[in-house]
């Protein structure tokens, strides 16, 4: 009988086809060849209409069981293949948690940033707040309000970049003192870091550099308070044994004014190349806030007194890290910068 022969034939074809199948994808293709719409088994079923009616029940049963047998065979195999594939996938995607992690090169802080952060941390420990003023300043804040009117000789010492008659690039963070005192009643205790600009350029000067300003105004502030605070600063930045010394100086906005030296932390004061044989190194300018400056900001100098100080951050960095040329701080050469981890 034809159909029965066909059934046997298809059975062995199915067995043959699945023998070497390796992936669920090729299994699917094979499955379609037999069970798909125009697959071998489906075609046989379609042909049932040509079979004499009396044979249909028997043949129908045979065909149905062929289809079931085939379906079962495929689904059992499919499950096996999927399990195998999943195992393979898991093995391939396995992460070895004991493997050393990839190291990404990390940058480092610029020496200026290191010093600035250190200074901010030292002074905020003493109760200072940070105020940052603008780099483009009025002539008024940078000079006039700091007791340096238009014809004052001290203007010549600061080689100013003017942007217009009244606007300039600030030459000193002292400009921030005025902005603070105009807006805040004493007690005032601020720290003002930032970039300043002067037309000056050699191994120890750069047209752009950074300063850190400090200002304290309150009742009963004296030069002793300034000296005590500077001692603390010098010990923290340069080392426990370092001492400070005040020398008379002149700034229009402070009276009296002082230059502050620290004892040489390299030779301990005996005299060496760093301190040029003197045992002392100049680190900053300071003084008691001039009465006229307080008055100009609406603060009564008979009630309040204050001190101010200003230092160059690059200068501190160069001293502390033994950097001999300021240009190194602005060139961005990673071979230099990498040394400050
Ligand atoms: N502004 C001064 C300078 O740039 C430094 C200074 C600040 C001096 C505060 C006294 C008080 O040289």
């Amino acid at each position: 009988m034809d159909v029965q022969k066909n059934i046997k034939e298809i059975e062995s074809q199915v067995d043959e086809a699945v023998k070497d199948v390796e992936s669920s994808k090729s299994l699917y293709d094979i499955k379609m060849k037999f069970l798909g719409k125009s697959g071998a088994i489906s075609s046989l079923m379609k042909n049932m209409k040509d079979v004499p009616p009396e044979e249909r029940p028997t043949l129908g049963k045979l065909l149905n069981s062929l289809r079931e047998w085939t379906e079962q065979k495929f689904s059992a195999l499919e499950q096996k293949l999927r399990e195998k594939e999943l195992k393979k996938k898991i093995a391939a995607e396995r992460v070895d948690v004991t493997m050393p992690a990839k190291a990404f090169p990390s940058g480092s802080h610029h020496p200026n940033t290191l010093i600035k952060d250190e200074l901010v941390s030292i002074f905020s420990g003493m109760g200072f707040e940070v105020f940052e003023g603008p780099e483009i300043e009025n002539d008024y804040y940078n000079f006039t309000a700091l007791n340096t009117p238009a014809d004052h000789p001290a203007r010549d010492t600061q080689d100013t970049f003017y942007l217009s008659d009244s606007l300039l690039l600030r030459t000193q963070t002292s400009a921030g003192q005025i902005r603070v005192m105009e807006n805040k009643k004493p007690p005032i205790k601020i720290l003002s870091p930032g970039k300043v600009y002067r037309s000056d350029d050699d191994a120890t000067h750069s047209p752009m550099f950074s300063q850190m300003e400090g200002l304290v105004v309150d009742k009963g502030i004296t030069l002793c308070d300034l000296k005590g605070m500077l001692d603390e600063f010098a010990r923290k930045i340069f080392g426990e044994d370092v001492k400070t010394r005040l020398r008379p100086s002149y700034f229009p906005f402070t009276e009296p004014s002082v230059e502050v030296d620290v004892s040489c932390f390299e030779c301990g004061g005996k005299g060496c190349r760093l301190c040029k044989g003197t045992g002392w190194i100049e680190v900053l300018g300071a003084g008691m806030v001039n009465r006229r400056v307080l008055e100009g900001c609406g603060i009564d100098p008979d009630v309040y007194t204050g001190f101010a100080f200003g230092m160059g951050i690059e200068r501190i960095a160069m001293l502390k890290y033994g950097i001999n040329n300021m240009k190194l701080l602005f060139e961005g050469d990673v071979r230099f910068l990498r040394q400050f981890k």
Side-chain angles (χ1 to χ4, degrees):
M1 191 187 229
D2 236 2
V3 178
Q4 278 180 351
K5 227 182 90 192
N6 272 340
I7 288 173
K8 283 270 160 269
E9 177 79 356
I10 287 173
E11 273 177 3
S12 56
Q13 276 177 14
V14 169
D15 276 333
E16 185 63 27
V18 300
K19 231 167 60 191
D20 299 322
V21 68
E22 292 217 315
S23 71
S24 52
K25 176 156 183 348
S26 43
L27 180 69
Y28 179 81
D29 295 339
I30 296 168
K31 187 170 150 184
M32 286 301 114
K33 252 167 67 188
F34 293 99
L35 293 170
K37 245 187 184 147
S38 44
I41 294 174
S42 317
S43 313
L44 266 187
M45 289 190 143
K46 270 181 213 145
N47 290 343
M48 282 288 283
K49 62 180 188 306
D50 306 329
V51 172
E54 63 278 14
E55 290 177 21
R56 275 184 205 164
T58 343
L59 282 178
K61 262 193 186 153
L62 284 173
L63 272 180
N64 273 337
S65 52
L66 169 69
R67 199 183 56 196
E68 272 165 30
W69 174 84
T70 316
E71 277 170 356
Q72 267 166 25
K73 193 152 184 108
F74 280 133
S75 71
L77 198 61
E78 188 177 342
Q79 199 177 342
K80 257 206 279 352
L81 285 171
R82 281 197 191 284
E83 270 167 27
K84 211 173 91 185
E85 281 165 1
L86 186 66
K87 267 193 198 148
K88 226 166 117 180
K89 196 170 168 215
I90 289 171
E93 290 175 2
R94 207 184 110 104
V95 175
D96 180 357
V97 291
T98 66
M99 234 157 71
K102 264 190 199 146
F104 292 99
S106 68
S108 52
H109 284 299
H110 190 277
N112 270 2
T113 309
L114 292 174
I115 295 291
K116 191 191 90 186
D117 289 352
E118 201 177 340
L119 289 170
V120 168
S121 144
I122 291 171
F123 285 105
S124 48
M126 300 189 223
F128 283 74
E129 280 177 276
V130 172
F131 164 85
E132 286 181 78
E135 287 174 30
I136 294 178
E137 262 300 5
N138 271 315
D139 185 277
Y140 176 77
Y141 287 103
N142 196 81
F143 288 126
T144 311
L146 287 163
N147 196 31
T148 321
D151 52 358
H152 198 288
R155 285 206 180 198
D156 294 345
T157 64
Q158 310 216 349
D159 312 281
T160 312
F161 290 114
Y162 279 92
L163 303 175
S164 71
D165 283 346
S166 59
L167 287 180
L168 47 83
L169 295 177
R170 66 175 174 195
T171 60
Q172 49 190 354
T173 44
S174 303
Q177 287 185 32
I178 306 301
R179 290 189 175 270
V180 170
M181 285 193 282
E182 272 185 351
N183 287 300
K184 199 170 154 18
K185 294 271 145 287
I188 291 169
K189 210 169 180 186
I190 58 107
L191 198 60
S192 189
K195 294 197 181 79
V196 299
Y197 301 83
R198 290 181 201 178
S199 179
D200 207 350
D201 202 4
D202 60 39
T204 52
H205 296 88
S206 153
M208 180 203 78
F209 62 106
S210 322
Q211 282 188 335
M212 176 77 76
E213 191 87 5
L215 172 71
V216 174
V217 183
D218 203 352
K219 286 178 183 158
I221 298 290
T222 69
L223 198 65
C224 284
D225 296 312
L226 172 65
K227 170 89 163 114
M229 192 218 62
L230 290 172
D231 281 344
E232 171 81 357
F233 143 81
R235 278 196 299 268
K236 289 227 166 95
I237 281 275
F238 297 113
E240 277 307 311
D241 304 330
V242 169
K243 295 180 185 31
T244 62
R245 163 178 99 168
L246 306 183
R247 274 181 296 112
S249 183
Y250 174 77
F251 300 104
F253 41 92
T254 46
E255 182 58 37
S257 300
V258 293
E259 290 298 340
V260 181
D261 296 343
V262 295
S263 59
C264 184
F265 45 86
E266 195 75 19
C267 64
K270 285 197 281 294
C272 67
R273 240 176 57 171
L274 184 68
C275 59
K276 299 191 185 84
T278 65
W280 295 92
I281 298 169
E282 183 188 324
V283 288
L284 58 90
M288 298 306 291
V289 181
N290 193 308
R291 296 177 58 90
R292 300 188 59 170
V293 175
L294 291 173
E295 251 162 16
C297 296
I299 295 174
D300 185 348
D302 291 325
V303 179
Y304 294 104
T305 50
F307 65 73
F309 60 90
M311 64 187 95
I313 291 180
E314 286 81 2
R315 178 162 169 77
I316 306 278
M318 289 171 77
L319 286 171
K320 182 161 171 152
Y321 298 125
I323 300 163
N324 60 7
N325 192 326
M326 202 186 234
K327 297 290 169 297
L328 288 165
L329 290 169
F330 299 110
E331 280 166 347
D333 187 329
V334 291
R335 291 168 304 178
F336 169 74
L337 296 173
R338 263 198 207 118
Q339 301 172 54
F340 300 90
K341 286 270 178 192

